[in-house]
Amino acid sequence: MQVVFMNQFERVIGQAEERAHVFIGEMQGLWSAGWRTLEQGASSVDELWYEGMSWEELLASFRHGVACKMKDGFRPLLDGMLEDTPFWERRPALQQLLQCYADGQDAEETASSLRAWRRAKATEEKRSAYLIATNRELQLLAVYKPRTLEELGQLPGFGKAKMERYGQEIVGMLKEKPRERGFPLEAWVPDAVSDETLSYWLFRMKEEKYGKSLSAVKEKRSLLQGIRDGRTLEELEGALNCPRRKLVERIEQLDEEGYDVMTIVDLELTGVSPDEAIQIDSALGQIGDRYLKPLLKEVYGESAADSNETEKRYEKLRMARIRYRRSARVSAG
Protein backbone atom coordinates (compact mmCIF):
# COMPACT_ATOMS: atom_id res chain seq x y z
CA MET A 1 0.00 0.00 0.00
CA GLN A 2 1.22 3.48 -0.90
CA VAL A 3 0.43 6.02 1.81
CA VAL A 4 -0.81 9.25 0.21
CA PHE A 5 -1.65 11.08 3.45
CA MET A 6 -0.69 10.66 7.10
CA ASN A 7 -1.01 12.74 10.25
CA GLN A 8 0.01 12.00 13.82
CA PHE A 9 -2.45 12.36 16.70
CA GLU A 10 -1.65 12.59 20.40
CA ARG A 11 -3.66 12.38 23.61
CA VAL A 12 -2.43 12.89 27.18
CA ILE A 13 -4.29 11.19 30.02
CA GLY A 14 -2.67 11.83 33.39
CA GLN A 15 1.01 10.97 32.93
CA ALA A 16 0.41 8.73 29.95
CA GLU A 17 0.75 9.87 26.35
CA GLU A 18 -0.91 8.03 23.50
CA ARG A 19 0.12 8.46 19.88
CA ALA A 20 -1.44 7.27 16.64
CA HIS A 21 -1.53 7.90 12.92
CA VAL A 22 -4.46 8.49 10.63
CA PHE A 23 -3.77 7.51 7.06
CA ILE A 24 -5.13 7.36 3.54
CA GLY A 25 -3.53 4.75 1.29
CA GLU A 26 -3.91 3.42 -2.23
CA MET A 27 -2.96 0.15 -3.88
CA GLN A 28 -3.91 -0.69 -7.48
CA GLY A 29 -6.93 1.60 -7.43
CA LEU A 30 -8.16 0.37 -4.04
CA TRP A 31 -8.38 3.16 -1.44
CA SER A 32 -8.14 2.65 2.30
CA ALA A 33 -8.29 4.87 5.38
CA GLY A 34 -7.88 4.11 9.03
CA TRP A 35 -6.30 4.54 12.44
CA ARG A 36 -2.94 3.08 13.48
CA THR A 37 -1.85 3.07 17.13
CA LEU A 38 1.86 3.67 17.77
CA GLU A 39 3.50 1.70 20.56
CA GLN A 40 7.25 1.58 21.24
CA GLY A 41 8.14 2.36 17.66
CA ALA A 42 5.93 -0.40 16.25
CA SER A 43 2.58 0.17 14.59
CA SER A 44 -0.50 -1.82 13.68
CA VAL A 45 -3.77 -0.92 11.99
CA ASP A 46 -6.35 -0.93 14.76
CA GLU A 47 -9.29 0.45 12.82
CA LEU A 48 -9.86 0.24 9.07
CA TRP A 49 -12.45 2.92 8.39
CA TYR A 50 -12.79 2.30 4.68
CA GLU A 51 -11.53 0.05 1.92
CA GLY A 52 -12.91 0.34 -1.60
CA MET A 53 -12.86 2.29 -4.85
CA SER A 54 -15.12 5.27 -4.00
CA TRP A 55 -13.20 8.46 -3.24
CA GLU A 56 -16.43 10.09 -2.02
CA GLU A 57 -17.07 7.33 0.51
CA LEU A 58 -13.41 7.30 1.51
CA LEU A 59 -13.50 11.00 2.44
CA ALA A 60 -16.78 10.65 4.32
CA SER A 61 -15.42 7.67 6.29
CA PHE A 62 -12.14 9.47 6.98
CA ARG A 63 -13.79 12.65 8.27
CA HIS A 64 -16.20 10.73 10.47
CA GLY A 65 -13.35 8.66 11.92
CA VAL A 66 -11.24 11.74 12.63
CA ALA A 67 -14.18 13.49 14.32
CA CYS A 68 -14.71 10.46 16.58
CA LYS A 69 -11.05 10.42 17.65
CA MET A 70 -10.97 14.18 18.28
CA LYS A 71 -14.12 13.86 20.37
CA ASP A 72 -12.21 11.31 22.48
CA GLY A 73 -9.44 13.84 23.16
CA PHE A 74 -6.88 13.16 20.43
CA ARG A 75 -5.38 16.21 18.71
CA PRO A 76 -3.48 16.31 15.39
CA LEU A 77 0.05 17.59 15.04
CA LEU A 78 -1.01 19.20 11.76
CA ASP A 79 -4.08 21.38 12.34
CA GLY A 80 -7.04 21.83 10.03
CA MET A 81 -8.15 18.19 9.77
CA LEU A 82 -11.82 19.11 9.67
CA GLU A 83 -11.72 22.90 9.42
CA ASP A 84 -9.47 25.56 7.91
CA THR A 85 -9.23 27.02 11.41
CA PRO A 86 -9.46 24.53 14.30
CA PHE A 87 -12.82 25.24 15.89
CA TRP A 88 -11.63 24.45 19.41
CA GLU A 89 -9.48 27.59 19.17
CA ARG A 90 -12.33 29.86 18.08
CA ARG A 91 -14.39 32.01 20.40
CA PRO A 92 -17.64 30.07 20.83
CA ALA A 93 -20.86 31.79 19.82
CA LEU A 94 -23.60 32.17 22.41
CA GLN A 95 -25.89 29.91 20.36
CA GLN A 96 -23.33 27.10 20.63
CA LEU A 97 -23.03 27.58 24.38
CA LEU A 98 -26.81 27.57 24.80
CA GLN A 99 -27.16 24.30 22.88
CA CYS A 100 -24.16 22.73 24.58
CA TYR A 101 -25.54 23.46 28.04
CA ALA A 102 -29.06 22.32 27.11
CA ASP A 103 -27.84 19.02 25.63
CA GLY A 104 -26.19 18.17 28.94
CA GLN A 105 -29.34 18.65 31.03
CA ASP A 106 -32.01 16.11 31.91
CA ALA A 107 -35.35 17.68 31.01
CA GLU A 108 -37.14 14.59 29.74
CA GLU A 109 -40.46 15.22 31.48
CA THR A 110 -40.93 18.63 29.87
CA ALA A 111 -39.42 17.49 26.57
CA SER A 112 -41.86 14.58 26.44
CA SER A 113 -44.87 16.90 26.78
CA LEU A 114 -43.42 19.17 24.08
CA ARG A 115 -43.01 16.20 21.74
CA ALA A 116 -46.65 15.28 22.30
CA TRP A 117 -47.65 18.86 21.41
CA ARG A 118 -45.48 18.71 18.29
CA ARG A 119 -47.05 15.42 17.15
CA ALA A 120 -50.54 16.83 17.57
CA LYS A 121 -49.60 20.02 15.74
CA ALA A 122 -47.99 18.09 12.89
CA THR A 123 -51.15 16.00 12.48
CA GLU A 124 -53.35 19.08 12.61
CA GLU A 125 -51.31 20.99 10.02
CA LYS A 126 -50.33 17.95 7.94
CA ARG A 127 -46.68 18.98 8.15
CA SER A 128 -43.52 17.14 9.06
CA ALA A 129 -42.81 17.38 12.79
CA TYR A 130 -39.30 18.79 12.31
CA LEU A 131 -40.77 21.80 10.47
CA ILE A 132 -42.64 22.71 13.63
CA ALA A 133 -39.64 22.22 15.92
CA THR A 134 -36.54 20.04 15.78
CA ASN A 135 -35.52 17.76 18.63
CA ARG A 136 -32.76 20.18 19.59
CA GLU A 137 -35.19 23.10 19.66
CA LEU A 138 -37.50 21.12 21.94
CA GLN A 139 -34.55 20.41 24.26
CA LEU A 140 -33.79 24.13 24.42
CA LEU A 141 -37.41 24.85 25.35
CA ALA A 142 -37.45 22.10 27.97
CA VAL A 143 -34.25 23.32 29.64
CA TYR A 144 -34.64 27.11 29.56
CA LYS A 145 -38.47 27.28 29.75
CA PRO A 146 -39.12 30.73 28.23
CA ARG A 147 -42.20 32.40 29.73
CA THR A 148 -42.57 35.32 27.34
CA LEU A 149 -42.20 35.85 23.61
CA GLU A 150 -39.18 38.04 24.28
CA GLU A 151 -37.49 35.19 26.13
CA LEU A 152 -38.48 32.68 23.44
CA GLY A 153 -36.83 34.89 20.83
CA GLN A 154 -33.47 34.46 22.58
CA LEU A 155 -33.35 30.75 21.75
CA PRO A 156 -31.70 29.52 18.52
CA GLY A 157 -34.24 28.44 15.91
CA PHE A 158 -37.12 30.62 17.04
CA GLY A 159 -37.30 33.42 14.52
CA LYS A 160 -40.16 35.72 13.63
CA ALA A 161 -42.19 33.24 11.54
CA LYS A 162 -42.03 30.41 14.07
CA MET A 163 -42.80 32.73 16.96
CA GLU A 164 -45.82 34.19 15.20
CA ARG A 165 -47.13 30.74 14.43
CA TYR A 166 -46.43 28.87 17.67
CA GLY A 167 -45.02 31.38 20.17
CA GLN A 168 -48.11 31.92 22.30
CA GLU A 169 -48.80 28.19 22.56
CA ILE A 170 -45.22 27.43 23.57
CA VAL A 171 -44.91 30.05 26.30
CA GLY A 172 -48.39 29.10 27.48
CA MET A 173 -47.23 25.51 28.03
CA LEU A 174 -44.02 26.57 29.78
CA LYS A 175 -44.93 29.60 31.88
CA GLU A 176 -45.97 27.51 34.89
CA LYS A 177 -42.98 25.17 34.71
CA PRO A 178 -40.43 25.72 37.49
CA ARG A 179 -36.92 26.75 36.45
CA GLU A 180 -33.73 27.22 38.42
CA ARG A 181 -32.21 30.01 36.32
CA GLY A 182 -33.90 32.73 34.30
CA PHE A 183 -33.21 35.13 31.47
CA PRO A 184 -31.13 36.78 30.06
CA LEU A 185 -29.24 33.60 29.30
CA GLU A 186 -25.99 35.34 28.35
CA ALA A 187 -25.68 36.39 31.98
CA TRP A 188 -24.98 32.89 33.23
CA VAL A 189 -24.81 30.18 30.54
CA PRO A 190 -21.23 30.95 29.33
CA ASP A 191 -19.93 30.49 32.89
CA ALA A 192 -21.89 27.25 33.27
CA VAL A 193 -20.15 25.57 30.31
CA SER A 194 -16.58 24.45 30.96
CA ASP A 195 -13.94 24.40 28.20
CA GLU A 196 -13.76 20.61 28.48
CA THR A 197 -17.53 20.21 28.15
CA LEU A 198 -17.67 22.57 25.17
CA SER A 199 -14.78 20.84 23.40
CA TYR A 200 -16.39 17.43 23.82
CA TRP A 201 -19.75 18.74 22.60
CA LEU A 202 -18.25 20.45 19.54
CA PHE A 203 -16.51 17.27 18.45
CA ARG A 204 -19.67 15.26 19.12
CA MET A 205 -21.50 17.60 16.74
CA LYS A 206 -18.79 17.00 14.14
CA GLU A 207 -19.05 13.27 14.66
CA GLU A 208 -22.81 13.47 14.14
CA LYS A 209 -22.44 15.69 11.05
CA TYR A 210 -19.91 13.44 9.34
CA GLY A 211 -21.80 10.35 10.44
CA LYS A 212 -24.83 11.62 8.55
CA SER A 213 -22.64 12.41 5.53
CA LEU A 214 -21.21 8.91 5.61
CA SER A 215 -24.67 7.36 5.84
CA ALA A 216 -25.82 9.48 2.89
CA VAL A 217 -22.88 8.33 0.78
CA LYS A 218 -23.53 4.68 1.62
CA GLU A 219 -27.24 5.06 0.86
CA LYS A 220 -26.36 6.68 -2.46
CA ARG A 221 -24.10 3.77 -3.36
CA SER A 222 -26.78 1.25 -2.42
CA LEU A 223 -29.41 3.10 -4.44
CA LEU A 224 -27.19 3.28 -7.51
CA GLN A 225 -26.41 -0.43 -7.21
CA GLY A 226 -30.11 -1.22 -6.90
CA ILE A 227 -30.86 0.81 -10.04
CA ARG A 228 -28.11 -0.99 -11.94
CA ASP A 229 -29.53 -4.32 -10.79
CA GLY A 230 -32.91 -3.42 -12.27
CA ARG A 231 -34.83 -3.18 -8.99
CA THR A 232 -38.23 -1.51 -8.83
CA LEU A 233 -39.15 1.32 -6.49
CA GLU A 234 -41.09 -1.13 -4.36
CA GLU A 235 -38.07 -3.39 -4.02
CA LEU A 236 -35.75 -0.47 -3.23
CA GLU A 237 -38.21 0.88 -0.67
CA GLY A 238 -37.97 -2.36 1.29
CA ALA A 239 -34.24 -2.93 0.80
CA LEU A 240 -33.18 0.61 1.77
CA ASN A 241 -35.95 1.19 4.34
CA CYS A 242 -36.64 4.52 2.69
CA PRO A 243 -40.06 6.08 1.97
CA ARG A 244 -41.05 5.81 -1.66
CA ARG A 245 -41.44 9.56 -2.15
CA LYS A 246 -37.97 10.24 -0.80
CA LEU A 247 -36.57 7.55 -3.07
CA VAL A 248 -37.99 9.27 -6.13
CA GLU A 249 -36.55 12.61 -4.96
CA ARG A 250 -33.14 10.97 -4.54
CA ILE A 251 -33.36 9.46 -8.01
CA GLU A 252 -34.08 12.93 -9.38
CA GLN A 253 -31.03 14.25 -7.55
CA LEU A 254 -28.86 11.46 -8.95
CA ASP A 255 -30.02 12.38 -12.45
CA GLU A 256 -29.11 16.04 -11.83
CA GLU A 257 -25.66 14.91 -10.68
CA GLY A 258 -25.15 13.10 -13.98
CA TYR A 259 -25.77 9.48 -12.96
CA ASP A 260 -27.63 7.19 -15.33
CA VAL A 261 -30.99 6.41 -13.70
CA MET A 262 -32.94 5.67 -16.87
CA THR A 263 -33.17 1.94 -16.07
CA ILE A 264 -35.54 2.56 -13.17
CA VAL A 265 -37.28 5.49 -14.90
CA ASP A 266 -38.17 3.32 -17.90
CA LEU A 267 -39.15 0.47 -15.60
CA GLU A 268 -41.52 2.59 -13.51
CA LEU A 269 -43.10 4.25 -16.55
CA THR A 270 -44.02 0.98 -18.25
CA GLY A 271 -47.41 1.12 -16.52
CA VAL A 272 -48.25 4.52 -17.99
CA SER A 273 -50.73 4.24 -20.86
CA PRO A 274 -49.80 5.73 -24.26
CA ASP A 275 -52.50 8.41 -23.93
CA GLU A 276 -51.33 9.36 -20.43
CA ALA A 277 -47.73 9.54 -21.62
CA ILE A 278 -48.71 11.85 -24.48
CA GLN A 279 -50.61 14.12 -22.06
CA ILE A 280 -47.65 14.30 -19.68
CA ASP A 281 -45.15 15.07 -22.47
CA SER A 282 -47.49 17.71 -23.89
CA ALA A 283 -47.89 19.35 -20.47
CA LEU A 284 -44.13 19.38 -19.92
CA GLY A 285 -43.64 21.01 -23.28
CA GLN A 286 -46.29 23.67 -22.65
CA ILE A 287 -45.81 24.45 -18.95
CA GLY A 288 -42.19 23.51 -18.41
CA ASP A 289 -40.60 21.12 -15.93
CA ARG A 290 -39.96 23.35 -12.92
CA TYR A 291 -43.16 22.93 -10.90
CA LEU A 292 -45.16 19.74 -10.47
CA LYS A 293 -48.50 21.10 -9.23
CA PRO A 294 -49.43 22.89 -12.50
CA LEU A 295 -48.46 19.72 -14.38
CA LEU A 296 -50.69 17.66 -12.11
CA LYS A 297 -53.69 19.88 -12.81
CA GLU A 298 -53.00 20.04 -16.54
CA VAL A 299 -52.75 16.27 -16.93
CA TYR A 300 -55.24 15.00 -14.36
CA GLY A 301 -57.66 17.90 -13.84
CA GLU A 302 -58.29 20.66 -11.31
CA SER A 303 -59.40 18.24 -8.57
CA ALA A 304 -56.36 15.98 -8.94
CA ALA A 305 -54.69 17.31 -5.78
CA ASP A 306 -57.59 15.99 -3.67
CA SER A 307 -57.52 12.48 -5.15
CA ASN A 308 -56.35 9.32 -3.43
CA GLU A 309 -54.13 8.81 -6.47
CA THR A 310 -52.26 12.09 -5.96
CA GLU A 311 -49.01 10.59 -4.66
CA LYS A 312 -48.86 8.00 -7.45
CA ARG A 313 -49.54 10.68 -10.03
CA TYR A 314 -46.79 12.89 -8.65
CA GLU A 315 -44.49 9.90 -8.83
CA LYS A 316 -45.31 9.40 -12.52
CA LEU A 317 -44.73 13.08 -13.21
CA ARG A 318 -41.35 13.03 -11.45
CA MET A 319 -40.23 10.02 -13.43
CA ALA A 320 -41.52 11.50 -16.68
CA ARG A 321 -39.75 14.75 -15.84
CA ILE A 322 -36.44 12.91 -15.49
CA ARG A 323 -36.94 11.39 -18.94
CA TYR A 324 -37.96 14.78 -20.38
CA ARG A 325 -34.90 16.51 -18.92
CA ARG A 326 -32.60 13.76 -20.11
CA SER A 327 -33.98 14.07 -23.66
CA ALA A 328 -33.57 17.85 -23.51
CA ARG A 329 -29.91 17.51 -22.44
CA VAL A 330 -29.21 15.00 -25.20
CA SER A 331 -30.81 17.30 -27.79
CA ALA A 332 -28.87 20.30 -26.52
CA GLY A 333 -25.61 18.38 -26.49
Side-chain angles (χ1 to χ4, degrees), residues 25 33 35 66 69 84 102 129 149 152 159 186 235 241 294 312 317 331:
W35 177 265
V66 168
K69 294 302 180 182
D84 293 333
L149 291 179
L152 179 61
E186 61 266 25
E235 290 171 335
N241 192 28
K312 290 184 179 180
L317 291 174
S331 300

Side-chain angles (χ1 to χ4, degrees), residues 119-160:
R119 283 194 301 271
K121 189 60 64 175
T123 301
E124 175 189 332
E125 298 184 357
K126 297 181 180 179
R127 305 177 75 206
S128 297
Y130 75 90
L131 294 176
I132 296 168
T134 65
N135 289 336
R136 284 213 165 95
E137 288 166 355
L138 294 186
Q139 180 68 10
L140 287 167
L141 293 174
V143 170
Y144 297 117
K145 302 180 181 69
R147 294 175 178 174
T148 66
L149 291 179
E150 182 182 0
E151 290 181 351
L152 179 61
Q154 295 182 41
L155 299 184
F158 292 92
K160 181 179 179 181

Side-chain angles (χ1 to χ4, degrees), residues 65-248:
V66 168
C68 291
K69 294 302 180 182
M70 294 179 80
K71 183 197 70 174
D72 291 339
F74 283 95
R75 295 293 180 265
L77 293 187
L78 297 177
D79 289 340
M81 291 294 296
L82 301 176
E83 301 283 354
D84 293 333
T85 303
F87 57 78
W88 63 89
E89 294 179 0
R90 300 175 187 170
R91 183 179 181 86
L94 178 61
Q95 289 190 351
Q96 290 178 316
L97 294 170
L98 294 178
Q99 192 70 67
C100 175
Y101 178 84
D103 284 353
Q105 306 305 305
D106 181 7
E108 180 54 30
E109 183 178 348
T110 303
S112 179
S113 64
L114 288 167
R115 286 194 294 270
W117 166 79
R118 182 179 63 175
R119 283 194 301 271
K121 189 60 64 175
T123 301
E124 175 189 332
E125 298 184 357
K126 297 181 180 179
R127 305 177 75 206
S128 297
Y130 75 90
L131 294 176
I132 296 168
T134 65
N135 289 336
R136 284 213 165 95
E137 288 166 355
L138 294 186
Q139 180 68 10
L140 287 167
L141 293 174
V143 170
Y144 297 117
K145 302 180 181 69
R147 294 175 178 174
T148 66
L149 291 179
E150 182 182 0
E151 290 181 351
L152 179 61
Q154 295 182 41
L155 299 184
F158 292 92
K160 181 179 179 181
K162 190 171 288 188
M163 287 179 62
E164 288 179 352
R165 193 162 191 166
Y166 308 117
Q168 292 292 352
E169 287 186 68
I170 291 172
V171 298
M173 289 186 290
L174 297 174
K175 65 181 180 181
E176 300 300 331
K177 299 282 186 181
R179 63 186 188 189
E180 295 181 6
R181 307 286 292 271
F183 287 69
L185 300 177
E186 61 266 25
W188 62 273
V189 172
D191 293 333
V193 178
S194 68
D195 291 342
E196 182 181 358
T197 299
L198 178 62
S199 178
Y200 178 85
W201 181 83
L202 287 169
F203 285 116
R204 186 161 62 85
M205 294 302 101
K206 285 294 178 184
E207 177 188 10
E208 182 178 309
K209 172 186 173 181
Y210 289 118
K212 289 179 179 178
S213 297
L214 179 58
S215 295
V217 170
K218 289 181 176 179
E219 288 174 4
K220 177 179 177 180
R221 181 187 62 182
S222 298
L223 177 55
L224 284 168
Q225 187 59 54
I227 292 172
R228 296 189 190 103
D229 292 342
R231 292 193 175 193
T232 64
L233 277 175
E234 184 176 356
E235 290 171 335
L236 289 171
E237 184 179 15
L240 302 180
N241 192 28
C242 180
R244 193 179 180 98
R245 182 175 182 177
K246 186 169 287 187
L247 270 178
V248 177

